Amino acid sequence: MNEISPVGCLFPRRPRSAGRARAFVREFLAAVPDGDRFAEVGELLVSELVANAIEHARTPAGRLIEVTCAVRDGRLRIEVHDASTDRPLRRDATPSDTGGRGLLLVEALSAAWGCCPRAGGVGKYVWVLIDPQGAVGSQPHVPVSTSSR
């Protein structure tokens, strides 16, 4: 599979941005040869990461969320940037909890994921690598800090 350079899009910190981020990933993958192999997992995981940035990132009003996508080494890389320095924390949700399972999905469905400070900027980005064959044993917080930019 050819490498596809990073493409990004900005979204407001509003609940409907998770759906718009899914559409952005879908549109990006439509231009990638065999991109449909990543679509289901890519759309789900970007939705979870954007929802986390909306719900948990404590940032000043007006700050945007940036989503970038790229294909490298046969894997889809998605990054979600926000202006908060707070790292995502996995929760142990009880059966009656209506939330708290997003990072469990990220761990289960990705090949690897992590969180890094934004170089030369405010905040952090959470990245996820998606293998077209499905998860290969996710390795949370793999020490790969190079942004796809």
Side-chain angles (χ1 to χ4, degrees):
M1 173 177 287
N2 295 334
E3 289 193 7
I4 308 295
S5 296
V7 175
C9 189
L10 296 172
F11 300 95
R13 287 188 62 234
R14 296 194 181 110
R16 67 178 164 247
S17 291
R20 290 180 177 166
R22 284 191 303 274
F24 167 70
V25 170
R26 190 177 317 118
E27 191 175 301
F28 172 80
L29 291 173
V32 173
D34 296 321
D36 59 324
R37 298 183 302 160
F38 299 109
E40 186 176 4
V41 173
E43 289 179 43
L44 175 62
L45 296 188
V46 78
S47 183
E48 292 297 334
L49 295 179
V50 168
N52 279 352
I54 292 166
E55 173 108 8
H56 302 293
R58 300 190 196 304
T59 62
R63 292 288 186 157
L64 299 174
I65 296 168
E66 181 180 18
V67 175
T68 64
C69 297
V71 175
R72 291 204 176 122
D73 301 323
R75 290 180 168 174
L76 172 64
R77 180 180 174 107
I78 299 173
E79 296 179 2
V80 176
H81 298 244
D82 66 55
S84 172
T85 56
D86 296 339
R87 298 175 71 82
L89 298 173
R90 192 179 86 190
R91 289 184 26 200
D92 292 322
T94 66
S96 62
D97 287 341
T98 59
R101 295 173 183 83
L103 290 180
L104 289 173
L105 286 172
V106 170
E107 287 180 6
L109 298 175
S110 68
W113 72 281
C115 179
C116 303
R118 292 179 69 193
V122 174
K124 67 172 177 312
Y125 64 96
V126 179
W127 57 268
V128 62
L129 292 177
I130 300 167
D131 191 312
Q133 286 79 35
V136 291
S138 179
Q139 303 167 4
H141 300 289
V142 174
V144 177
S145 62
T146 305
S147 175
S148 67
R149 294 182 200 227

